[in-house]
Amino acid sequence: MRILVLNGPNLQLLGMREPGIYGTGTLSQLEEHCARVARELGIEVECRQSNHEGELVDWIGNAPGHFQGIVLNAAAYTHTSVAIRDAVAAVRLPTVEVHLSNVFSREEYRHRSYLAEVAWAVVSGMGFLSYEMALRGLAARGKE
Ligand code: CA2
């Protein structure tokens, strides 16, 4: 089983700014964590980050045939992007929307997700563990 882990805009800044909200771990450390969990689960992950909506749309659209699930932190695009929502709905791969922070305890505009309705599951507020839970959930679902 291969899982595509996508991180959206500004997440390359992880660990460098706003540690109070997003923690002190860097994007590389997050990707290493995902790789470690994947090894434990006997699955494969490929991690990518982009600041560009269209690139995320392309990666999601090209995932079928290469990946069996997606872990998606679309960052700010979560709250704005009908294009990413349509891509997730179109590919029909189980997709877990993840967030490092608890978006529901933050500003009102972060409470709206265009992705949640087309996602298989949502995990928000557990830092790196949000991604770990998403990988564990997808691996378990794949075995059903
Ligand atoms: O909590 C999350 O994972 C978010 O998806 C992060 C997004 C935010 O727009 C969402 O509402 C919730 C922001 C990502 C920006 O990442 C930064 C990391 C370090 C410093 C500044 C920004």
Side-chain angles (χ1 to χ4, degrees):
M1 182 182 212
R2 277 171 64 76
I3 304 294
L4 181 61
V5 178
L6 294 182
N7 281 300
N10 296 312
L11 285 163
Q12 81 282 2
L13 298 173
L14 268 186
M16 299 170 196
R17 314 229 179 99
E18 308 211 51
I21 300 176
Y22 300 117
T24 54
T26 64
L27 179 62
S28 306
Q29 288 168 339
L30 172 59
E31 293 179 347
E32 280 162 24
H33 185 74
C34 290
R36 219 171 17 251
V37 172
R39 269 196 300 280
E40 184 207 313
L41 294 169
I43 64 172
E44 285 176 51
V45 286
E46 183 166 323
C47 299
R48 302 178 192 163
Q49 187 272 332
S50 178
N51 292 326
H52 304 280
E53 185 176 16
E55 191 160 42
L56 293 163
V57 169
D58 285 344
W59 286 342
I60 294 164
N62 291 327
H66 304 279
F67 299 95
Q68 287 72 51
I70 301 174
V71 175
L72 176 60
N73 187 348
Y77 289 141
T78 304
H79 319 297
T80 63
S81 179
V82 176
I84 293 177
R85 176 205 174 99
D86 287 350
V88 170
V91 295
R92 303 171 70 97
L93 289 175
T95 298
V96 183
E97 173 186 340
V98 297
H99 299 286
L100 293 155
S101 63
N102 176 358
V103 289
F104 300 103
S105 67
R106 300 183 63 194
E107 301 92 333
E108 187 105 17
Y109 60 83
R110 295 187 203 275
H111 299 183
R112 176 76 175 102
S113 166
Y114 280 92
L115 311 178
E117 291 133 336
V118 293
W120 171 59
V122 181
V123 189
S124 184
M126 290 196 276
F128 284 14
L129 261 182
S130 294
Y131 293 70
E132 179 172 338
M133 290 302 127
L135 290 172
R136 290 188 187 281
L138 287 168
R141 186 185 197 275
K143 285 190 185 146
E144 275 174 5

